[in-house]
Amino acid sequence: MKFKEKLVHGNLIRRYKRFLADIKLDNGEIVVAHCTNSGSMKSCIVEGAEVFLTPVNDPKRKTRFTWEMIKINESWVGIKTHNPNTLVYEEIKAGNLPGLEGYDFVQREVKFGESRFDVYAENSREKCFVEVKNVTYKNGNFALFPDAVTSRGLKHLLTLKKVKEEGLRAVMVYVIQRTDVTEFAPAKQIDPKYAQALKEVFNVGVEIIPLQVLVTPEEIKIHKIIPFQLSI
């Protein structure tokens, strides 16, 4: 997934009210950027750290920039929650996402039951529903999800279980927007209900793909699939 516009460089002053961040641009100007990440953003907020923003030319928007990434541990961490959805859709459609290749029809935002899933794909052999989650929380060598209690995420897991029960393929893709981790796990200490549900739906056949991506100011691209643990 390539960025359509050249990103603007600056440094983080602070993040506040969940959806706002004050950024000092290289020219000294202080601007307010929109933060799409509604979670706690544990382990990816460092005041003074380098950031990149997307300029927005929309007169209806109160903020002129959207926050895309922050530099942590000498590498970029993508914090925009919409990017993983776009990346997964594009890569499944192109047949490049490991484990999700070979689909003839790929569509975004398809409803099943009471949930709307990020991607639906099918071919002559199977029909597949895919839910995508953005992962930025790091603890040691682990990438963890979620970084705050998520009732919506729990609902998605339970609906994926129903997808599987109806004989369809059900997949959770966790897009890990940082490369300073080596394994994925549910954040049991933050949301034990989600962690337990993930283990239960995995045991009945819902697939888990922890997709680590490389984030740069030019693009976000697949790095590799990393292992996961459900019992830590």
Side-chain angles (χ1 to χ4, degrees), residues 214-231:
L214 179 64
V215 179
T216 71
E218 292 75 38
E219 64 179 344
I220 301 174
K221 61 182 181 181
I222 293 174
H223 182 48
K224 61 182 178 181
I225 306 295
I226 64 173
F228 64 89
Q229 293 188 34
L230 301 182
S231 57

Side-chain angles (χ1 to χ4, degrees), residues 73-97:
N73 298 331
E74 298 304 314
S75 62
W76 293 106
V77 177
I79 62 96
K80 187 176 178 181
T81 54
H82 302 150
N83 288 340
N85 297 24
T86 300
L87 172 86
V88 169
Y89 168 74
E90 290 180 354
E91 297 298 346
I92 293 177
K93 195 169 184 179
N96 295 332
L97 202 157

Side-chain angles (χ1 to χ4, degrees), residues 105-167:
F105 176 79
V106 184
Q107 185 175 337
R108 300 184 71 169
E109 299 292 330
V110 176
K111 193 172 182 181
F112 181 97
E114 297 182 353
S115 294
R116 186 178 298 275
F117 290 110
D118 295 310
V119 181
Y120 169 79
E122 73 174 62
N123 54 30
S124 59
R125 303 182 308 277
E126 64 186 17
K127 298 178 180 180
C128 177
F129 285 88
V130 180
E131 179 62 15
V132 181
K133 296 300 182 188
N134 175 54
V135 183
T136 59
Y137 178 27
K138 166 186 162 69
N139 189 345
N141 292 324
F142 280 91
L144 302 175
F145 181 90
D147 66 0
V149 175
T150 172
S151 57
R152 184 169 178 268
L154 178 61
K155 179 182 175 183
H156 281 137
L157 289 182
L158 298 178
T159 309
L160 280 176
K161 182 181 178 183
K162 294 178 181 178
V163 169
K164 188 64 182 176
E165 288 170 348
E166 293 204 11

Side-chain angles (χ1 to χ4, degrees), residues 35 46 142 167 198 207 216:
C35 175
V46 177
F142 280 91
L198 182 60
E207 299 168 55
T216 71

